[in-house]
mmCIF file of all heavy atoms in Angstrom:
data_model
loop_
_atom_site.group_PDB
_atom_site.id
_atom_site.type_symbol
_atom_site.label_atom_id
_atom_site.label_comp_id
_atom_site.label_asym_id
_atom_site.label_seq_id
_atom_site.Cartn_x
_atom_site.Cartn_y
_atom_site.Cartn_z
ATOM 1 N N MET W 1 -148.165 58.798 40.043
ATOM 2 C CA MET W 1 -148.023 59.073 41.481
ATOM 3 C C MET W 1 -147.035 58.100 42.102
ATOM 4 O O MET W 1 -146.661 57.093 41.511
ATOM 5 C CB MET W 1 -149.385 58.927 42.181
ATOM 6 C CG MET W 1 -150.448 59.896 41.689
ATOM 7 S SD MET W 1 -150.067 61.618 42.036
ATOM 8 C CE MET W 1 -150.753 61.784 43.690
ATOM 9 N N ALA W 2 -146.637 58.386 43.273
ATOM 10 C CA ALA W 2 -145.667 57.517 43.950
ATOM 11 C C ALA W 2 -146.310 56.179 44.297
ATOM 12 O O ALA W 2 -147.519 56.096 44.553
ATOM 13 C CB ALA W 2 -145.178 58.189 45.207
ATOM 14 N N HIS W 3 -145.489 55.185 44.276
ATOM 15 C CA HIS W 3 -146.004 53.872 44.672
ATOM 16 C C HIS W 3 -146.007 53.762 46.194
ATOM 17 O O HIS W 3 -144.985 53.634 46.833
ATOM 18 C CB HIS W 3 -145.185 52.744 44.049
ATOM 19 C CG HIS W 3 -143.748 53.077 43.863
ATOM 20 N ND1 HIS W 3 -142.812 52.923 44.842
ATOM 21 C CD2 HIS W 3 -143.079 53.563 42.796
ATOM 22 C CE1 HIS W 3 -141.636 53.299 44.394
ATOM 23 N NE2 HIS W 3 -141.759 53.701 43.158
ATOM 24 N N HIS W 4 -147.172 53.828 46.719
ATOM 25 C CA HIS W 4 -147.322 53.842 48.173
ATOM 26 C C HIS W 4 -148.187 52.648 48.571
ATOM 27 O O HIS W 4 -149.283 52.762 49.080
ATOM 28 C CB HIS W 4 -147.980 55.154 48.596
ATOM 29 C CG HIS W 4 -147.915 55.393 50.065
ATOM 30 N ND1 HIS W 4 -148.968 55.136 50.915
ATOM 31 C CD2 HIS W 4 -146.931 55.876 50.856
ATOM 32 C CE1 HIS W 4 -148.617 55.448 52.139
ATOM 33 N NE2 HIS W 4 -147.401 55.898 52.143
ATOM 34 N N LYS W 5 -147.638 51.486 48.342
ATOM 35 C CA LYS W 5 -148.448 50.283 48.537
ATOM 36 C C LYS W 5 -148.189 49.593 49.872
ATOM 37 O O LYS W 5 -148.616 48.480 50.087
ATOM 38 C CB LYS W 5 -148.177 49.290 47.399
ATOM 39 C CG LYS W 5 -148.828 49.725 46.104
ATOM 40 C CD LYS W 5 -148.737 48.618 45.087
ATOM 41 C CE LYS W 5 -149.506 49.012 43.828
ATOM 42 N NZ LYS W 5 -149.451 47.963 42.811
ATOM 43 N N LEU W 6 -147.461 50.268 50.726
ATOM 44 C CA LEU W 6 -147.190 49.658 52.012
ATOM 45 C C LEU W 6 -148.385 49.856 52.939
ATOM 46 O O LEU W 6 -148.492 50.849 53.641
ATOM 47 C CB LEU W 6 -145.940 50.293 52.622
ATOM 48 C CG LEU W 6 -145.425 49.586 53.876
ATOM 49 C CD1 LEU W 6 -144.879 48.207 53.512
ATOM 50 C CD2 LEU W 6 -144.351 50.409 54.553
ATOM 51 N N THR W 7 -149.287 48.927 52.877
ATOM 52 C CA THR W 7 -150.487 49.034 53.692
ATOM 53 C C THR W 7 -150.437 48.043 54.843
ATOM 54 O O THR W 7 -150.019 46.895 54.664
ATOM 55 C CB THR W 7 -151.743 48.774 52.858
ATOM 56 O OG1 THR W 7 -151.584 47.543 52.180
ATOM 57 C CG2 THR W 7 -151.967 49.886 51.860
ATOM 58 N N LEU W 8 -150.881 48.467 55.962
ATOM 59 C CA LEU W 8 -150.907 47.595 57.128
ATOM 60 C C LEU W 8 -152.130 46.697 57.073
ATOM 61 O O LEU W 8 -153.168 47.091 56.547
ATOM 62 C CB LEU W 8 -150.966 48.451 58.393
ATOM 63 C CG LEU W 8 -149.738 49.325 58.631
ATOM 64 C CD1 LEU W 8 -149.998 50.244 59.813
ATOM 65 C CD2 LEU W 8 -148.505 48.487 58.881
ATOM 66 N N PRO W 9 -152.007 45.515 57.641
ATOM 67 C CA PRO W 9 -153.176 44.641 57.700
ATOM 68 C C PRO W 9 -154.243 45.230 58.602
ATOM 69 O O PRO W 9 -153.942 45.911 59.578
ATOM 70 C CB PRO W 9 -152.625 43.338 58.278
ATOM 71 C CG PRO W 9 -151.355 43.703 58.954
ATOM 72 C CD PRO W 9 -150.831 44.900 58.234
ATOM 73 N N THR W 10 -155.461 44.960 58.263
ATOM 74 C CA THR W 10 -156.565 45.488 59.053
ATOM 75 C C THR W 10 -157.550 44.379 59.391
ATOM 76 O O THR W 10 -157.624 43.352 58.720
ATOM 77 C CB THR W 10 -157.321 46.597 58.299
ATOM 78 O OG1 THR W 10 -157.817 46.061 57.081
ATOM 79 C CG2 THR W 10 -156.419 47.773 58.006
ATOM 80 N N LYS W 11 -158.304 44.623 60.443
ATOM 81 C CA LYS W 11 -159.374 43.713 60.838
ATOM 82 C C LYS W 11 -160.590 44.544 61.213
ATOM 83 O O LYS W 11 -160.488 45.741 61.469
ATOM 84 C CB LYS W 11 -158.950 42.882 62.055
ATOM 85 C CG LYS W 11 -157.822 41.911 61.772
ATOM 86 C CD LYS W 11 -157.548 41.080 62.995
ATOM 87 C CE LYS W 11 -156.430 40.096 62.703
ATOM 88 N NZ LYS W 11 -156.185 39.208 63.854
ATOM 89 N N ILE W 12 -161.716 43.850 61.284
ATOM 90 C CA ILE W 12 -162.932 44.518 61.740
ATOM 91 C C ILE W 12 -163.178 44.130 63.190
ATOM 92 O O ILE W 12 -163.250 42.943 63.516
ATOM 93 C CB ILE W 12 -164.140 44.112 60.879
ATOM 94 C CG1 ILE W 12 -163.873 44.420 59.403
ATOM 95 C CG2 ILE W 12 -165.400 44.822 61.363
ATOM 96 C CD1 ILE W 12 -163.743 45.883 59.091
ATOM 97 N N CYS W 13 -163.299 45.119 64.023
ATOM 98 C CA CYS W 13 -163.572 44.850 65.426
ATOM 99 C C CYS W 13 -165.012 44.332 65.577
ATOM 100 O O CYS W 13 -165.949 45.010 65.172
ATOM 101 C CB CYS W 13 -163.376 46.131 66.226
ATOM 102 S SG CYS W 13 -163.837 45.954 67.948
ATOM 103 N N PRO W 14 -165.180 43.157 66.137
ATOM 104 C CA PRO W 14 -166.526 42.591 66.283
ATOM 105 C C PRO W 14 -167.364 43.310 67.334
ATOM 106 O O PRO W 14 -168.560 43.114 67.408
ATOM 107 C CB PRO W 14 -166.259 41.140 66.688
ATOM 108 C CG PRO W 14 -164.914 41.161 67.313
ATOM 109 C CD PRO W 14 -164.145 42.264 66.641
ATOM 110 N N SER W 15 -166.715 44.135 68.112
ATOM 111 C CA SER W 15 -167.446 44.854 69.148
ATOM 112 C C SER W 15 -168.042 46.157 68.619
ATOM 113 O O SER W 15 -169.226 46.409 68.777
ATOM 114 C CB SER W 15 -166.516 45.142 70.309
ATOM 115 O OG SER W 15 -167.211 45.796 71.337
ATOM 116 N N CYS W 16 -167.204 46.957 67.978
ATOM 117 C CA CYS W 16 -167.691 48.253 67.491
ATOM 118 C C CYS W 16 -167.879 48.268 65.977
ATOM 119 O O CYS W 16 -168.302 49.270 65.429
ATOM 120 C CB CYS W 16 -166.740 49.357 67.920
ATOM 121 S SG CYS W 16 -165.099 49.257 67.195
ATOM 122 N N GLN W 17 -167.558 47.138 65.323
ATOM 123 C CA GLN W 17 -167.769 47.011 63.876
ATOM 124 C C GLN W 17 -166.933 47.992 63.073
ATOM 125 O O GLN W 17 -167.274 48.329 61.952
ATOM 126 C CB GLN W 17 -169.251 47.190 63.532
ATOM 127 C CG GLN W 17 -170.161 46.227 64.268
ATOM 128 C CD GLN W 17 -169.895 44.781 63.892
ATOM 129 O OE1 GLN W 17 -169.761 44.459 62.725
ATOM 130 N NE2 GLN W 17 -169.809 43.904 64.867
ATOM 131 N N ARG W 18 -165.840 48.444 63.633
ATOM 132 C CA ARG W 18 -164.983 49.373 62.912
ATOM 133 C C ARG W 18 -163.675 48.697 62.531
ATOM 134 O O ARG W 18 -163.169 47.857 63.282
ATOM 135 C CB ARG W 18 -164.659 50.587 63.787
ATOM 136 C CG ARG W 18 -165.863 51.450 64.053
ATOM 137 C CD ARG W 18 -165.433 52.674 64.812
ATOM 138 N NE ARG W 18 -166.572 53.545 65.120
ATOM 139 C CZ ARG W 18 -166.449 54.757 65.658
ATOM 140 N NH1 ARG W 18 -165.264 55.224 65.963
ATOM 141 N NH2 ARG W 18 -167.501 55.481 65.887
ATOM 142 N N PRO W 19 -163.154 49.070 61.375
ATOM 143 C CA PRO W 19 -161.859 48.536 60.975
ATOM 144 C C PRO W 19 -160.735 49.157 61.792
ATOM 145 O O PRO W 19 -160.783 50.334 62.135
ATOM 146 C CB PRO W 19 -161.747 48.928 59.503
ATOM 147 C CG PRO W 19 -162.605 50.120 59.356
ATOM 148 C CD PRO W 19 -163.716 49.970 60.367
ATOM 149 N N PHE W 20 -159.771 48.331 62.109
ATOM 150 C CA PHE W 20 -158.603 48.859 62.804
ATOM 151 C C PHE W 20 -157.354 48.248 62.194
ATOM 152 O O PHE W 20 -157.381 47.135 61.688
ATOM 153 C CB PHE W 20 -158.674 48.591 64.304
ATOM 154 C CG PHE W 20 -158.733 47.129 64.683
ATOM 155 C CD1 PHE W 20 -157.594 46.459 65.088
ATOM 156 C CD2 PHE W 20 -159.929 46.449 64.646
ATOM 157 C CE1 PHE W 20 -157.645 45.122 65.457
ATOM 158 C CE2 PHE W 20 -159.996 45.104 65.005
ATOM 159 C CZ PHE W 20 -158.846 44.446 65.413
ATOM 160 N N ALA W 21 -156.283 48.986 62.242
ATOM 161 C CA ALA W 21 -155.060 48.578 61.559
ATOM 162 C C ALA W 21 -154.057 47.979 62.540
ATOM 163 O O ALA W 21 -154.121 48.199 63.749
ATOM 164 C CB ALA W 21 -154.446 49.771 60.850
ATOM 165 N N TRP W 22 -153.170 47.237 61.952
ATOM 166 C CA TRP W 22 -152.077 46.616 62.710
ATOM 167 C C TRP W 22 -151.324 47.667 63.516
ATOM 168 O O TRP W 22 -151.108 48.783 63.067
ATOM 169 C CB TRP W 22 -151.148 45.961 61.691
ATOM 170 C CG TRP W 22 -150.001 45.217 62.276
ATOM 171 C CD1 TRP W 22 -149.986 43.891 62.572
ATOM 172 C CD2 TRP W 22 -148.701 45.733 62.588
ATOM 173 N NE1 TRP W 22 -148.747 43.570 63.062
ATOM 174 C CE2 TRP W 22 -147.942 44.678 63.084
ATOM 175 C CE3 TRP W 22 -148.117 47.004 62.506
ATOM 176 C CZ2 TRP W 22 -146.621 44.832 63.487
ATOM 177 C CZ3 TRP W 22 -146.800 47.167 62.921
ATOM 178 C CH2 TRP W 22 -146.068 46.091 63.392
ATOM 179 N N ARG W 23 -150.953 47.281 64.706
ATOM 180 C CA ARG W 23 -150.132 48.158 65.529
ATOM 181 C C ARG W 23 -148.899 47.408 66.001
ATOM 182 O O ARG W 23 -148.934 46.189 66.151
ATOM 183 C CB ARG W 23 -150.925 48.651 66.748
ATOM 184 C CG ARG W 23 -152.041 49.579 66.349
ATOM 185 C CD ARG W 23 -152.797 50.037 67.566
ATOM 186 N NE ARG W 23 -154.074 50.641 67.190
ATOM 187 C CZ ARG W 23 -154.972 51.039 68.070
ATOM 188 N NH1 ARG W 23 -154.744 50.892 69.355
ATOM 189 N NH2 ARG W 23 -156.090 51.571 67.663
ATOM 190 N N LYS W 24 -147.892 48.184 66.260
ATOM 191 C CA LYS W 24 -146.617 47.556 66.608
ATOM 192 C C LYS W 24 -146.723 46.720 67.880
ATOM 193 O O LYS W 24 -146.095 45.680 68.023
ATOM 194 C CB LYS W 24 -145.554 48.644 66.794
ATOM 195 C CG LYS W 24 -144.152 48.070 66.788
ATOM 196 C CD LYS W 24 -143.132 49.177 66.703
ATOM 197 C CE LYS W 24 -141.733 48.602 66.550
ATOM 198 N NZ LYS W 24 -140.735 49.664 66.414
ATOM 199 N N LYS W 25 -147.549 47.171 68.798
ATOM 200 C CA LYS W 25 -147.687 46.426 70.057
ATOM 201 C C LYS W 25 -148.355 45.064 69.849
ATOM 202 O O LYS W 25 -148.327 44.213 70.728
ATOM 203 C CB LYS W 25 -148.474 47.248 71.076
ATOM 204 C CG LYS W 25 -149.934 47.459 70.705
ATOM 205 C CD LYS W 25 -150.655 48.180 71.838
ATOM 206 C CE LYS W 25 -152.128 48.358 71.522
ATOM 207 N NZ LYS W 25 -152.834 49.008 72.642
ATOM 208 N N TRP W 26 -148.968 44.895 68.671
ATOM 209 C CA TRP W 26 -149.608 43.620 68.365
ATOM 210 C C TRP W 26 -148.743 42.750 67.468
ATOM 211 O O TRP W 26 -149.209 41.733 66.948
ATOM 212 C CB TRP W 26 -150.946 43.845 67.681
ATOM 213 C CG TRP W 26 -151.974 44.510 68.549
ATOM 214 C CD1 TRP W 26 -152.099 44.386 69.905
ATOM 215 C CD2 TRP W 26 -153.029 45.380 68.137
ATOM 216 N NE1 TRP W 26 -153.151 45.129 70.344
ATOM 217 C CE2 TRP W 26 -153.744 45.744 69.282
ATOM 218 C CE3 TRP W 26 -153.432 45.866 66.902
ATOM 219 C CZ2 TRP W 26 -154.851 46.587 69.235
ATOM 220 C CZ3 TRP W 26 -154.532 46.704 66.850
ATOM 221 C CH2 TRP W 26 -155.228 47.057 67.991
ATOM 222 N N ALA W 27 -147.511 43.167 67.261
ATOM 223 C CA ALA W 27 -146.662 42.469 66.300
ATOM 224 C C ALA W 27 -146.564 40.978 66.612
ATOM 225 O O ALA W 27 -146.556 40.145 65.715
ATOM 226 C CB ALA W 27 -145.283 43.093 66.295
ATOM 227 N N ARG W 28 -146.537 40.653 67.869
ATOM 228 C CA ARG W 28 -146.338 39.241 68.234
ATOM 229 C C ARG W 28 -147.609 38.417 68.131
ATOM 230 O O ARG W 28 -147.571 37.249 67.790
ATOM 231 C CB ARG W 28 -145.795 39.155 69.659
ATOM 232 C CG ARG W 28 -144.341 39.559 69.727
ATOM 233 C CD ARG W 28 -143.740 39.127 71.042
ATOM 234 N NE ARG W 28 -142.297 39.318 71.059
ATOM 235 C CZ ARG W 28 -141.505 38.792 71.982
ATOM 236 N NH1 ARG W 28 -142.014 38.057 72.949
ATOM 237 N NH2 ARG W 28 -140.214 38.992 71.931
ATOM 238 N N ASP W 29 -148.710 39.019 68.467
ATOM 239 C CA ASP W 29 -149.938 38.211 68.472
ATOM 240 C C ASP W 29 -151.068 38.873 67.690
ATOM 241 O O ASP W 29 -152.191 38.978 68.156
ATOM 242 C CB ASP W 29 -150.376 37.898 69.903
ATOM 243 C CG ASP W 29 -150.303 39.112 70.806
ATOM 244 O OD1 ASP W 29 -150.191 40.237 70.285
ATOM 245 O OD2 ASP W 29 -150.367 38.936 72.011
ATOM 246 N N TRP W 30 -150.709 39.314 66.507
ATOM 247 C CA TRP W 30 -151.729 39.889 65.626
ATOM 248 C C TRP W 30 -152.812 38.867 65.315
ATOM 249 O O TRP W 30 -153.983 39.191 65.182
ATOM 250 C CB TRP W 30 -151.060 40.393 64.348
ATOM 251 C CG TRP W 30 -152.009 40.864 63.300
ATOM 252 C CD1 TRP W 30 -152.186 40.317 62.065
ATOM 253 C CD2 TRP W 30 -152.906 41.989 63.366
ATOM 254 N NE1 TRP W 30 -153.133 41.039 61.379
ATOM 255 C CE2 TRP W 30 -153.592 42.054 62.149
ATOM 256 C CE3 TRP W 30 -153.188 42.921 64.358
ATOM 257 C CZ2 TRP W 30 -154.549 43.034 61.894
ATOM 258 C CZ3 TRP W 30 -154.152 43.890 64.095
ATOM 259 C CH2 TRP W 30 -154.808 43.937 62.869
ATOM 260 N N ASP W 31 -152.439 37.615 65.183
ATOM 261 C CA ASP W 31 -153.424 36.577 64.879
ATOM 262 C C ASP W 31 -154.468 36.443 65.989
ATOM 263 O O ASP W 31 -155.584 36.034 65.752
ATOM 264 C CB ASP W 31 -152.723 35.233 64.691
ATOM 265 C CG ASP W 31 -151.978 35.175 63.378
ATOM 266 O OD1 ASP W 31 -152.267 36.008 62.490
ATOM 267 O OD2 ASP W 31 -151.104 34.313 63.236
ATOM 268 N N LYS W 32 -154.063 36.811 67.191
ATOM 269 C CA LYS W 32 -154.971 36.651 68.324
ATOM 270 C C LYS W 32 -155.804 37.896 68.579
ATOM 271 O O LYS W 32 -156.772 37.853 69.316
ATOM 272 C CB LYS W 32 -154.177 36.307 69.576
ATOM 273 C CG LYS W 32 -153.441 34.984 69.456
ATOM 274 C CD LYS W 32 -152.599 34.767 70.697
ATOM 275 C CE LYS W 32 -151.765 33.496 70.549
ATOM 276 N NZ LYS W 32 -150.863 33.316 71.712
ATOM 277 N N VAL W 33 -155.344 38.980 67.990
ATOM 278 C CA VAL W 33 -156.055 40.235 68.218
ATOM 279 C C VAL W 33 -157.408 40.204 67.519
ATOM 280 O O VAL W 33 -157.507 39.894 66.335
ATOM 281 C CB VAL W 33 -155.226 41.421 67.694
ATOM 282 C CG1 VAL W 33 -156.011 42.721 67.804
ATOM 283 C CG2 VAL W 33 -153.920 41.539 68.472
ATOM 284 N N LYS W 34 -158.445 40.485 68.268
ATOM 285 C CA LYS W 34 -159.791 40.512 67.681
ATOM 286 C C LYS W 34 -160.429 41.888 67.816
ATOM 287 O O LYS W 34 -161.243 42.285 66.995
ATOM 288 C CB LYS W 34 -160.679 39.479 68.380
ATOM 289 C CG LYS W 34 -160.264 38.052 68.097
ATOM 290 C CD LYS W 34 -161.229 37.098 68.764
ATOM 291 C CE LYS W 34 -160.831 35.650 68.486
ATOM 292 N NZ LYS W 34 -161.768 34.720 69.151
ATOM 293 N N PHE W 35 -160.086 42.590 68.856
ATOM 294 C CA PHE W 35 -160.755 43.853 69.137
ATOM 295 C C PHE W 35 -159.795 45.020 68.982
ATOM 296 O O PHE W 35 -158.594 44.882 69.172
ATOM 297 C CB PHE W 35 -161.340 43.832 70.543
ATOM 298 C CG PHE W 35 -162.330 42.718 70.757
ATOM 299 C CD1 PHE W 35 -161.942 41.538 71.355
ATOM 300 C CD2 PHE W 35 -163.635 42.850 70.324
ATOM 301 C CE1 PHE W 35 -162.841 40.501 71.546
ATOM 302 C CE2 PHE W 35 -164.544 41.826 70.505
ATOM 303 C CZ PHE W 35 -164.147 40.649 71.116
ATOM 304 N N CYS W 36 -160.355 46.165 68.672
ATOM 305 C CA CYS W 36 -159.527 47.324 68.374
ATOM 306 C C CYS W 36 -158.932 47.938 69.625
ATOM 307 O O CYS W 36 -157.938 48.647 69.559
ATOM 308 C CB CYS W 36 -160.353 48.361 67.622
ATOM 309 S SG CYS W 36 -161.647 49.115 68.611
ATOM 310 N N SER W 37 -159.539 47.676 70.758
ATOM 311 C CA SER W 37 -159.067 48.329 71.971
ATOM 312 C C SER W 37 -159.403 47.465 73.184
ATOM 313 O O SER W 37 -160.201 46.530 73.106
ATOM 314 C CB SER W 37 -159.726 49.699 72.116
ATOM 315 O OG SER W 37 -161.117 49.532 72.270
ATOM 316 N N ASP W 38 -158.796 47.822 74.289
ATOM 317 C CA ASP W 38 -159.097 47.089 75.516
ATOM 318 C C ASP W 38 -160.556 47.246 75.904
ATOM 319 O O ASP W 38 -161.156 46.340 76.451
ATOM 320 C CB ASP W 38 -158.215 47.610 76.644
ATOM 321 C CG ASP W 38 -156.775 47.173 76.453
ATOM 322 O OD1 ASP W 38 -156.532 46.213 75.690
ATOM 323 O OD2 ASP W 38 -155.886 47.794 77.056
ATOM 324 N N ARG W 39 -161.086 48.398 75.609
ATOM 325 C CA ARG W 39 -162.489 48.625 75.936
ATOM 326 C C ARG W 39 -163.388 47.664 75.168
ATOM 327 O O ARG W 39 -164.264 47.017 75.735
ATOM 328 C CB ARG W 39 -162.870 50.065 75.605
ATOM 329 C CG ARG W 39 -164.331 50.349 75.858
ATOM 330 C CD ARG W 39 -164.702 51.751 75.488
ATOM 331 N NE ARG W 39 -164.080 52.731 76.366
ATOM 332 C CZ ARG W 39 -164.290 54.043 76.281
ATOM 333 N NH1 ARG W 39 -165.074 54.517 75.332
ATOM 334 N NH2 ARG W 39 -163.716 54.865 77.106
ATOM 335 N N CYS W 40 -163.143 47.573 73.879
ATOM 336 C CA CYS W 40 -163.957 46.688 73.058
ATOM 337 C C CYS W 40 -163.746 45.228 73.467
ATOM 338 O O CYS W 40 -164.677 44.442 73.494
ATOM 339 C CB CYS W 40 -163.615 46.873 71.586
ATOM 340 S SG CYS W 40 -164.358 48.360 70.881
ATOM 341 N N ARG W 41 -162.546 44.899 73.803
ATOM 342 C CA ARG W 41 -162.279 43.534 74.244
ATOM 343 C C ARG W 41 -163.030 43.231 75.534
ATOM 344 O O ARG W 41 -163.580 42.153 75.724
ATOM 345 C CB ARG W 41 -160.778 43.346 74.457
ATOM 346 C CG ARG W 41 -160.422 41.920 74.762
ATOM 347 C CD ARG W 41 -158.934 41.735 74.851
ATOM 348 N NE ARG W 41 -158.352 42.599 75.875
ATOM 349 C CZ ARG W 41 -157.056 42.802 76.025
ATOM 350 N NH1 ARG W 41 -156.203 42.242 75.198
ATOM 351 N NH2 ARG W 41 -156.614 43.586 76.975
ATOM 352 N N GLY W 42 -163.043 44.203 76.419
ATOM 353 C CA GLY W 42 -163.764 44.023 77.667
ATOM 354 C C GLY W 42 -165.251 43.829 77.427
ATOM 355 O O GLY W 42 -165.882 42.961 78.011
ATOM 356 N N VAL W 43 -165.789 44.610 76.521
ATOM 357 C CA VAL W 43 -167.204 44.499 76.182
ATOM 358 C C VAL W 43 -167.498 43.121 75.619
ATOM 359 O O VAL W 43 -168.482 42.484 75.957
ATOM 360 C CB VAL W 43 -167.600 45.593 75.164
ATOM 361 C CG1 VAL W 43 -168.993 45.340 74.614
ATOM 362 C CG2 VAL W 43 -167.535 46.953 75.824
ATOM 363 N N GLY W 44 -166.593 42.651 74.758
ATOM 364 C CA GLY W 44 -166.810 41.365 74.111
ATOM 365 C C GLY W 44 -166.726 40.198 75.065
ATOM 366 O O GLY W 44 -167.446 39.220 74.918
ATOM 367 N N GLU W 45 -165.861 40.327 76.059
ATOM 368 C CA GLU W 45 -165.642 39.179 76.927
ATOM 369 C C GLU W 45 -166.520 39.182 78.173
ATOM 370 O O GLU W 45 -166.680 38.173 78.828
ATOM 371 C CB GLU W 45 -164.163 39.136 77.332
ATOM 372 C CG GLU W 45 -163.287 38.762 76.147
ATOM 373 C CD GLU W 45 -161.842 38.601 76.580
ATOM 374 O OE1 GLU W 45 -161.541 38.949 77.736
ATOM 375 O OE2 GLU W 45 -161.038 38.133 75.765
ATOM 376 N N THR W 46 -167.062 40.328 78.477
ATOM 377 C CA THR W 46 -167.902 40.381 79.668
ATOM 378 C C THR W 46 -169.381 40.392 79.296
ATOM 379 O O THR W 46 -170.215 40.890 80.022
ATOM 380 C CB THR W 46 -167.579 41.632 80.510
ATOM 381 O OG1 THR W 46 -167.682 42.777 79.675
ATOM 382 C CG2 THR W 46 -166.184 41.553 81.077
ATOM 383 N N GLU W 47 -169.638 39.823 78.131
ATOM 384 C CA GLU W 47 -171.030 39.791 77.682
ATOM 385 C C GLU W 47 -171.730 38.594 78.322
ATOM 386 O O GLU W 47 -171.792 37.505 77.768
ATOM 387 C CB GLU W 47 -171.069 39.692 76.164
ATOM 388 C CG GLU W 47 -172.438 39.987 75.601
ATOM 389 C CD GLU W 47 -172.410 40.091 74.093
ATOM 390 O OE1 GLU W 47 -171.320 39.998 73.506
ATOM 391 O OE2 GLU W 47 -173.465 40.245 73.511
ATOM 392 N N ARG W 48 -172.223 38.801 79.505
ATOM 393 C CA ARG W 48 -172.896 37.725 80.228
ATOM 394 C C ARG W 48 -174.331 38.119 80.533
ATOM 395 O O ARG W 48 -174.616 39.298 80.743
ATOM 396 C CB ARG W 48 -172.154 37.453 81.541
ATOM 397 C CG ARG W 48 -170.741 36.931 81.309
ATOM 398 C CD ARG W 48 -170.044 36.751 82.644
ATOM 399 N NE ARG W 48 -168.647 36.361 82.471
ATOM 400 C CZ ARG W 48 -167.784 36.241 83.464
ATOM 401 N NH1 ARG W 48 -168.165 36.478 84.699
ATOM 402 N NH2 ARG W 48 -166.547 35.878 83.237
ATOM 403 N N PRO W 49 -175.191 37.162 80.616
ATOM 404 C CA PRO W 49 -176.585 37.451 80.950
ATOM 405 C C PRO W 49 -176.754 37.906 82.399
ATOM 406 O O PRO W 49 -175.946 37.540 83.237
ATOM 407 C CB PRO W 49 -177.308 36.131 80.704
ATOM 408 C CG PRO W 49 -176.262 35.088 80.768
ATOM 409 C CD PRO W 49 -174.973 35.759 80.317
HETATM 410 ZN ZN1 LIG A 101 -163.712 48.140 68.687
#
């Protein structure tokens, strides 16, 4: 089969526990990206008692 080894880096979203792949809009701060979406990020950061 063809060599198709170009895989994007992935992370697990701590909010929804789902894997998400690198996106071009995150090219600059992929290291800082923790959540798959703004929604999940909002959930993670607004977790207050
Ligand atoms: Zn998520």
Side-chain angles (χ1 to χ4, degrees):
M1 298 295 273
H3 32 85
H4 192 261
K5 286 190 175 180
L6 189 68
T7 52
L8 296 173
T10 59
K11 293 184 179 183
I12 303 294
C13 175
S15 182
C16 65
Q17 304 296 314
R18 292 185 181 187
F20 61 99
W22 183 93
R23 292 180 195 175
K24 195 169 186 178
K25 67 175 182 178
W26 294 328
R28 286 195 171 193
D29 45 15
W30 173 244
D31 287 342
K32 297 176 184 176
V33 175
K34 292 183 180 179
F35 301 97
C36 68
S37 64
D38 288 341
R39 177 182 292 183
C40 282
R41 186 175 58 191
V43 170
E45 290 185 351
T46 54
E47 194 171 357
R48 295 177 185 174

